[in-house]
Amino acid sequence: ENISNFSLNITDCTQVVVPEEVFFTVAAAGILENLLILIAVVRNKNLHLPMYFFICSLAISDMLGSLYKTLENIFIILCKMGYLTRHGDFEKKLDDAMDSMFILSLLGSIFSLLAIAADRYITIFYALRYHNIMTLRRALVILAIIWAFCAGSSIAIALFSYEAATVIPFTILFPLMMFFILCLYVHMFLLARSHAKKIASLPSSTVHHRTNMKGAITLTIFLGVFLCCWAPFVLHILLARFCPHNPYCACYMSIFHVNGTLIMCNAIINPIIFAFRSPELWSTFKKMFYCPR
Amino acid sequence: MSALRLISNRTSQQALSNSDYTWDYEYYEYGPVSFEGLKAHKYSIVIGFWVGLAVFVIFMFFVLTLLTKTGAPHQDNAELSEKRFHMNTFVAEFGRPLESERVFSHQMAEESQSLFHFCINEMDHMNKEKESQKGPSLESNTHFQEVPKSCGMFEEDLHCLTKFNIPNFVNTEQNSSLGEDDLLIPEPPIIL
């Protein structure tokens, strides 16, 4: 049979290519930023708190995601230059290992965000008992469990990615977690709002409306960023599994590299909206950079 | 991911080549995909997805802002937790040994209410003076940062409340987006 490998119609959806410079810049920025946070938390004893450990966990998973993309690009470049063969067994194993790193990063991000949201929830609603509920040791145990689970699932998913069964739980987990995190934050937000009303009732103040708008904006940014950065990729996996030959699906899948870049952008944005809002962390950065020993 | 390409090779009837595995940028050479006779625009999934996502985020934002205008259903247990929350939001974080916090936490339960009421009354007077001086976005901060000297006797207790590490989310809700620097004003605040 004559099988034409390329449909050269004008209506073809060709792969949208992201320039390599953009790729590497975004990835490098993500890695550096998150590394900075890790170093700051490790060096400053004041930051050895459960909240910052969860933020570190998020930083690690973001770093893994950016690292994965960088390594993958490097390997593909090496392939093109001929240093690595395309059809080797070693390359296949390497590829599987890197796929599992990426899935580890995604799962780690989701669970870290969940842990951060739960930690804040406990801080607000069980404020006086917070230090009994969330001790340092418990936080570390929780993190160990999360990462062990993520590592196991990522290896399992990478090994069994041929089965349909792995894709479905993977894509169901994502909206479930998002919904749960949204519920936690909305509940906190409701408390903050009713609280702001109480403040407003004490002196005569017309400011509360504005501060609550800011609360709504903050919450929308938290969740909107995560959704916009990860959902395109999750949809891509779904479509690749279930309708690879459909032209509409194929057109969506042609923007795969843009989706990958979005994930790396998430690694850059997450520290800004979680870590850099802490004054203690900022003062640690200043000490690190402006007062070298 | 190239693992997905393996899926396509196994399911596809028309194999492209003998080797099942190649590692390439062009992940999705799925074989001829016919683009003939498309009823809708070829990027309709892309456009539909992003429009749907934007609509969802905007919807979420409007729901949240609507919540700011309607009544507060959350009144149960609000008294004590709100007051603790209130104290906590406007105090910067300090690292302290965890042991001393537990010592104080029991005392705080009883004292926080009276402490709070006292400071609120004091704050009332201060606030009317300071209101005109600071920008509106700082107003809710100045309520607590300029607690007058008469609250100083509770300084020790307030110090303990600083150890309830405040999530950034809570801080930034009440503040402007520049946020945390507002809490660390140059003059030595009583609480800090």
Side-chain angles (χ1 to χ4, degrees), chain A residues 95 128 193 195 198 277, chain B residues 2 67 82 84 86 180:
Chain A
D95 188 43
L128 286 183
R193 182 186 42 88
H195 200 63
K198 290 212 164 190
R277 294 190 139 184
Chain B
S2 50
L67 287 177
E82 278 184 27
R84 289 191 295 260
H86 204 159
E180 274 58 39

Side-chain angles (χ1 to χ4, degrees), chain B residues 5-137:
Chain B
R5 189 163 182 281
L6 267 162
I7 301 173
S8 77
N9 272 332
R10 288 186 189 192
T11 56
S12 153
Q13 295 297 325
Q14 304 139 347
L16 287 178
S17 59
N18 291 335
S19 83
D20 279 334
Y21 180 79
T22 58
W23 202 0
D24 209 343
Y25 265 134
E26 288 158 27
Y27 286 122
Y28 301 104
E29 301 160 7
Y30 280 117
V33 179
S34 131
F35 283 91
E36 306 289 333
L38 291 185
K39 297 198 187 78
H41 189 263
K42 59 182 176 169
Y43 282 112
S44 52
I45 292 188
V46 180
I47 297 170
F49 170 75
W50 281 104
V51 167
L53 200 59
V55 163
F56 176 74
V57 171
I58 292 173
F59 169 74
M60 192 167 66
F61 177 70
F62 277 128
V63 163
L64 290 173
T65 49
L66 253 170
L67 287 177
T68 68
K69 293 178 179 127
T70 55
H74 185 85
Q75 290 294 341
D76 53 303
N77 195 26
E79 285 295 272
L80 205 57
S81 63
E82 278 184 27
K83 281 163 182 141
R84 289 191 295 260
F85 166 89
H86 204 159
M87 288 310 224
N88 292 341
T89 38
F90 299 108
V91 175
E93 297 164 298
F94 286 103
R96 292 289 176 97
L98 292 172
E99 296 82 348
S100 52
E101 292 155 7
R102 290 197 194 95
V103 169
F104 283 109
S105 64
H106 299 293
Q107 302 168 1
M108 282 305 101
E110 298 86 40
E111 291 174 4
S112 62
Q113 262 182 326
S114 55
L115 172 67
F116 185 80
H117 281 302
F118 175 79
C119 289
I120 283 287
N121 291 333
E122 296 298 310
M123 167 207 78
D124 248 346
H125 303 298
M126 295 293 296
N127 202 37
K128 292 187 175 77
E129 300 163 17
K130 297 286 180 181
E131 212 169 8
S132 54
Q133 294 177 14
K134 305 266 177 163
S137 62

Side-chain angles (χ1 to χ4, degrees), chain A residues 49-114:
Chain A
L49 299 165
M51 180 177 104
Y52 288 106
F53 284 171
F54 294 134
I55 288 179
C56 274
S57 162
L58 186 65
I60 289 175
S61 50
D62 285 339
M63 230 166 48
L64 279 177
S66 298
L67 207 62
Y68 159 80
K69 277 289 173 188
T70 316
L71 284 177
E72 190 184 52
N73 267 24
I74 291 176
F75 283 127
I76 289 177
I77 291 173
L78 286 177
C79 268
K80 282 193 178 154
M81 285 170 27
Y83 292 116
L84 287 175
T85 63
R86 290 185 171 199
H87 312 302
D89 209 27
F90 166 73
E91 281 77 11
K92 181 176 181 316
K93 291 211 177 79
L94 204 55
D95 188 43
D96 274 344
M98 297 211 326
D99 284 345
S100 67
M101 195 203 298
F102 179 72
I103 298 171
L104 180 66
S105 154
L106 170 57
L107 289 176
S109 278
I110 293 178
F111 280 107
S112 298
L113 286 174
L114 186 63

Side-chain angles (χ1 to χ4, degrees), chain A residues 175-228:
Chain A
L176 262 184
M177 286 296 184
M178 288 295 305
F179 181 69
F180 188 56
I181 292 174
L182 182 67
C183 287
L184 284 180
Y185 275 122
V186 165
H187 197 197
M188 287 191 267
F189 177 76
L190 284 176
L191 175 63
R193 182 186 42 88
S194 67
H195 200 63
K197 278 191 186 324
K198 290 212 164 190
I199 299 177
S201 65
L202 293 167
S204 60
S205 154
T206 55
V207 182
H208 68 280
H209 182 67
R210 197 179 309 170
T211 55
N212 277 317
M213 281 290 290
K214 287 197 164 62
I217 292 172
T218 307
L219 197 52
T220 311
I221 290 175
F222 274 178
L223 295 168
V225 161
F226 187 77
L227 210 55
C228 288

